[in-house]
Amino acid sequence: MSFFSGPSSPPGCTSIQEQRQRWERKRTRTAKELVKTEQQYSQQLEMVTTYFVEILKAKGTLKPDIRESIFSSMKAIHSVNQSLLVHLENGYVGRGFEQFCPHLDLYNTYVDNIYNSSKVLKIQLKKNKAFRRFKTLQEDRPEFNNQRLEDLLQLPVLRIDQYKHFLQDLAANTSPDNPEFQQISRAVDHVCEVSQRIQNNTRRHENHLQLCRVQKLLKGRKTKVLAAGRWFIREGWLKTVPPKGAEAKPKMFFLFSDMLLQAKRCSPLHPTNGDKFVGQHAYPLQDCSVEKVFGHTRSQGGLLSLSFPKANLLLMSNNQEDLNDWYQSLSSAVRKLQSKTEVHHRDDLCRRPLNSDPESNTPSRKRNMVSTDTTEHAQKSAAEWESSAPKRMKQSGAAEQSSEPSSSSCVIL
């Protein structure tokens, strides 16, 4: 008995075709979900624009600058997204985002202002009785479906993250031969930039809250924690080992990106500051070196040796894991700070002009062309410059000496 089979297709042809069909089905589902969520998003933006922005502008309940601080570029975002929605509903995803991405600056403006918006909104709800009543009446409308204004103001920030995932899925399931592939790929890059901006803003805001929290923990205003560019890393109790073998005393340490702050707890009997700390020393990490010291705690915890230009610090912990965490955190902070300093130093060397010596700027060719009187005047002024040079050198040297220990000025608070 013989069996006859039809013409066989090339090996792998069927699997490739099936894979393309799966991609197309995924792409179709993603596109439909994108359109559906964009419709909902556009409706929510319209509610905020109509029932809050426009009516508040007409009634004058809020001053223009306060209204701008709360709603920022919400109205302009709604206008841009209406145009995007038309393209998406007609199936032009690539073209829609190609025209939408140049307007992402509106989202940049919005996400940069979102924390200030929340702050201003809270202040107005606390102080402005008319606005508080107006907000309650508008939120009770059936169109809002029990949504609060605070949640609606977060929508543009959340929508960027949704765009990022939708576009990444579309790009992954779109053939490179498709005319929309390049458009969608470029849109992914642009949206990811805004998404990264949101993450950076969130990190900065959370760091600011941490700095404010530590500042409130410290008694008085002598110890300044809030500073531009400073990042909070960690905090915890460590014992300071005195050099003459006295008893090790527990101290609270706050580690930041540029300094290590040592503090002691206030008296628990104090009526107002019982839960606060007093700053004792602020050690700059710029020229710090961190080393582990072994063999002193019988395998329970260990010691850390910290060397600063004007001080040495020996810290002890009975918890090995906690000590390792402190070592890693301190070493990483010092390494990052020193690497930044090296980069700035190299940049300064690159920017420094080749003829930085003031004597090299003497116009030798002009001196041969001027008259005798001018030459004498030039020689006299040169003599005056030479006589005043030592004073200038002393001033500049003093300036350098005062600028070097800028970080060490906070060693003893």
Side-chain angles (χ1 to χ4, degrees):
M1 181 180 294
S2 62
F3 296 92
F4 174 80
S5 59
S8 59
S9 58
C13 181
T14 304
S15 60
I16 293 176
Q17 186 176 2
E18 291 176 352
Q19 181 64 43
R20 289 178 176 175
Q21 291 175 354
R22 284 196 295 269
W23 287 344
E24 187 61 31
R25 286 195 298 269
K26 290 181 180 179
R27 172 184 165 85
T28 303
R29 285 197 302 267
T30 303
K32 288 182 179 180
E33 186 67 20
L34 174 60
V35 173
K36 181 181 177 180
T37 55
E38 185 67 20
Q39 291 171 342
Q40 297 172 350
Y41 174 60
S42 184
Q43 291 174 359
Q44 291 169 325
L45 292 180
E46 185 175 4
M47 287 193 306
V48 177
T49 303
T50 303
Y51 294 111
F52 278 97
V53 179
E54 295 295 344
I55 296 179
L56 285 171
K57 182 178 180 180
K59 291 171 63 70
T61 307
L62 295 177
K63 294 180 180 179
D65 57 336
I66 296 177
R67 189 179 68 249
E68 180 70 19
S69 297
I70 295 176
F71 298 99
S72 187
S73 55
M74 173 75 80
K75 185 177 179 180
I77 287 175
H78 174 232
S79 177
V80 169
N81 277 85
Q82 281 183 315
S83 177
L84 174 62
L85 179 59
V86 173
H87 285 90
L88 296 180
E89 289 178 335
N90 291 327
Y92 302 117
V93 178
R95 185 190 306 174
F97 275 98
E98 190 174 42
Q99 297 183 11
F100 170 76
C101 287
H103 301 284
L104 281 174
D105 286 341
L106 297 172
Y107 277 86
N108 286 333
T109 302
Y110 193 88
V111 301
D112 288 346
N113 182 68
I114 191 63
Y115 295 110
N116 179 62
S117 171
S118 301
K119 181 181 178 180
V120 174
L121 178 60
K122 290 179 181 178
I123 294 174
Q124 291 302 310
L125 290 175
K126 184 178 181 180
K127 296 183 177 181
N128 193 330
K129 184 178 180 181
F131 175 67
R132 186 167 64 248
R133 187 187 306 114
F134 171 80
K135 175 178 177 291
T136 303
L137 291 174
Q138 297 303 84
E139 290 175 344
D140 288 340
R141 289 176 175 272
E143 295 91 340
F144 282 84
N145 195 21
N146 297 323
Q147 291 178 299
R148 299 169 65 244
L149 177 60
E150 290 86 346
D151 299 328
L152 294 171
L153 290 175
Q154 296 291 329
L155 289 176
V157 180
L158 300 175
R159 189 58 178 166
I160 286 295
D161 191 56
Q162 294 174 352
Y163 284 148
K164 174 183 173 181
H165 293 295
F166 279 130
L167 289 170
Q168 286 176 340
D169 289 344
L170 287 172
N173 295 294
T174 301
S175 173
D177 299 332
N178 192 310
E180 287 191 330
F181 179 78
Q182 294 296 332
Q183 296 172 328
I184 294 175
S185 298
R186 287 193 294 267
V188 170
D189 295 336
H190 292 305
V191 171
C192 284
E193 290 178 3
V194 185
S195 178
Q196 185 63 47
R197 191 187 190 110
I198 294 173
Q199 295 178 20
N200 294 339
N201 289 347
T202 302
R203 289 179 61 248
R204 283 193 291 267
H205 179 67
E206 292 175 350
N207 179 69
H208 177 73
L209 294 180
Q210 288 280 23
L211 294 179
C212 292
R213 180 186 63 82
V214 175
Q215 187 70 70
K216 291 180 180 178
L217 284 176
L218 299 174
K219 175 186 174 183
R221 301 180 179 180
K222 190 175 182 181
T223 307
K224 299 294 183 181
V225 171
L226 291 169
R230 175 172 292 165
W231 289 84
F232 172 81
I233 299 177
R234 64 163 300 170
E235 64 187 51
W237 290 93
L238 291 170
K239 292 182 179 180
T240 57
V241 181
K244 295 184 179 180
E247 183 181 359
K249 298 181 180 180
K251 302 290 183 180
M252 173 61 76
F253 285 90
F254 300 93
L255 177 60
F256 304 93
S257 58
D258 61 335
M259 74 170 182
L260 177 67
L261 177 63
Q262 175 184 325
K264 68 175 182 178
R265 186 180 288 278
C266 296
S267 173
L269 302 179
H270 196 281
T272 58
N273 298 324
D275 58 343
K276 292 190 175 183
F277 296 87
V278 177
Q280 291 182 301
H281 300 280
Y283 300 96
L285 300 180
Q286 178 59 55
D287 298 316
C288 173
S289 62
V290 186
E291 295 180 355
K292 279 186 178 181
V293 181
F294 298 98
H296 294 271
T297 55
R298 297 179 182 178
S299 301
Q300 294 181 358
L303 296 173
L304 290 179
S305 175
L306 279 68
S307 299
F308 303 94
K310 294 187 177 182
N312 292 318
L313 192 62
L314 196 60
L315 304 178
M316 182 178 72
S317 174
N318 293 328
N319 188 321
Q320 185 67 49
E321 183 178 356
D322 185 55
L323 187 80
N324 291 335
D325 289 342
W326 272 105
Y327 176 75
Q328 294 294 336
S329 300
L330 282 164
S331 301
S332 177
V334 171
R335 187 165 53 251
K336 289 180 181 179
L337 191 62
Q338 292 178 351
S339 64
K340 288 181 180 178
T341 304
E342 291 176 1
V343 171
H344 291 323
H345 182 64
R346 286 198 298 267
D347 291 343
D348 292 340
L349 290 177
C350 292
R351 295 194 190 102
R352 187 176 298 172
L354 295 177
N355 296 327
S356 59
D357 188 359
E359 294 181 358
S360 63
N361 294 329
T362 305
S364 57
R365 286 186 295 178
K366 288 185 178 180
R367 194 157 46 197
N368 297 329
M369 299 172 62
V370 295
S371 61
T372 306
D373 295 337
T374 308
T375 305
E376 293 177 355
H377 177 72
Q379 293 175 350
K380 187 181 295 184
S381 61
E384 293 176 355
W385 185 88
E386 290 177 358
S387 62
S388 61
K391 295 182 180 179
R392 295 185 181 180
M393 292 293 289
K394 290 181 180 179
Q395 291 176 358
S396 62
E400 290 178 0
Q401 292 177 357
S402 62
S403 62
E404 283 179 359
S406 59
S407 58
S408 63
S409 61
C410 59
V411 170
I412 299 178
L413 301 176

